[in-house]
Amino acid sequence: MTDKVIPFRRLERQGASDEDLLSASAAGDNRAVEELFQRHGNRVHRILVRLRCCDRKDLDDLVQNTFIEVQRSAHRFDGRASVSTWIIGIAMNLVRHYVRGERRRRLAMAAVAEEAPAARPQEPDDWAAQRQLVGRLQVVFESLPTELRMAFTLCDIEGMRGVDVARTLGLPEGTVWRRLHEARLRLRAGLAEEADR
């Protein structure tokens, strides 16, 4: 009989809204946090990968810590942003703390090779040129201050709306647009400079 009850409860959770799951997790329901992780964990992971703020070992820890903090802070959710935006905000705060404590860490160039597009150019020269461009882009991207990397990643790579990024980072929307503009300018200038070398 219990075999039939467990899937039923699971289906109930799958149909629950994010807000309902957050309320349940505030009450200590670990299954609700698990469902939030199933819904939003991949996006948090993808954003952290794109930020290039840590190595793989620490990346997994940051994703897990994000959802531990979601459960701890669930009672403080005020509904001004979507649950998804709120969770990304928690992840961004954890990244800020990580970067402050681990400034000397840099990602290896192997990360670029792992994330290279699946469809490679046909000609070896084209493939080599593309690899060089990606390598230059990574060097320039990693030289950006964390605040600019966050704005660029969330807006241009993840496609989040400026207002949601502002809520996520706890900033005025104008500050987000200024940081995004600055990141784009620095990336262009850095790529031009790298190409001249």
Side-chain angles (χ1 to χ4, degrees):
M1 178 101 180
T2 39
D3 292 341
K4 294 180 182 177
V5 174
I6 292 172
F8 178 71
R9 287 186 179 165
R10 178 75 177 151
L11 289 174
E12 279 182 2
R13 295 216 182 280
Q14 288 177 342
S17 71
D18 286 348
E19 290 79 7
D20 292 341
L21 291 171
L22 203 55
S23 295
S25 66
D29 186 344
N30 290 333
R31 289 184 184 162
V33 176
E34 183 181 332
E35 183 63 33
L36 286 169
F37 180 82
Q38 293 299 319
R39 292 180 186 185
H40 304 286
N42 285 338
R43 187 170 192 206
V44 170
H45 185 271
R46 187 177 64 238
I47 289 170
L48 295 182
V49 165
R50 288 178 173 165
L51 283 175
R52 301 207 182 286
C53 61
C54 59
D55 58 27
R56 288 200 175 281
K57 168 183 68 78
D58 294 333
L59 176 69
D60 292 339
D61 289 344
L62 280 171
V63 173
Q64 282 185 332
N65 289 340
T66 296
F67 287 89
I68 290 169
E69 191 59 35
V70 163
Q71 186 169 27
R72 282 188 198 142
S73 304
H75 66 281
R76 287 186 268 163
F77 178 73
D78 59 10
R80 287 188 290 168
S82 70
V83 171
S84 175
T85 299
W86 184 75
I87 289 172
I88 292 168
I90 288 173
M92 294 300 101
N93 283 333
L94 290 174
V95 166
R96 282 189 205 112
H97 291 294
Y98 173 86
V99 169
R100 284 184 199 131
E102 302 290 332
R103 288 218 181 261
R104 286 180 255 151
R105 289 184 171 220
R106 293 282 177 200
L107 289 173
M109 292 302 287
V112 171
E114 291 173 11
E115 291 187 11
R120 293 183 174 163
Q122 297 293 333
E123 299 297 318
D125 291 343
D126 293 338
W127 185 79
Q130 182 183 14
R131 294 282 302 192
Q132 288 176 349
L133 177 63
V134 170
R136 288 195 309 265
L137 182 59
Q138 181 181 4
V139 168
V140 175
F141 183 74
E142 288 179 354
S143 71
L144 292 176
T146 303
E147 300 81 30
L148 299 184
R149 277 188 285 162
M150 285 182 178
F152 184 81
T153 298
L154 294 175
C155 290
D156 282 357
I157 297 175
E158 281 298 310
M160 288 178 66
R161 298 178 321 147
V163 66
D164 290 334
V165 173
R167 286 183 186 137
T168 298
L169 299 176
L171 298 170
E173 192 174 351
T175 302
V176 170
W177 293 122
R178 181 188 53 75
R179 288 180 181 179
L180 179 60
H181 178 70
E182 180 70 22
R184 289 172 178 166
L185 289 177
R186 288 192 189 191
L187 285 171
R188 280 189 204 110
L191 281 175
E193 189 176 299
E194 283 284 322
D196 291 342
R197 289 183 185 174

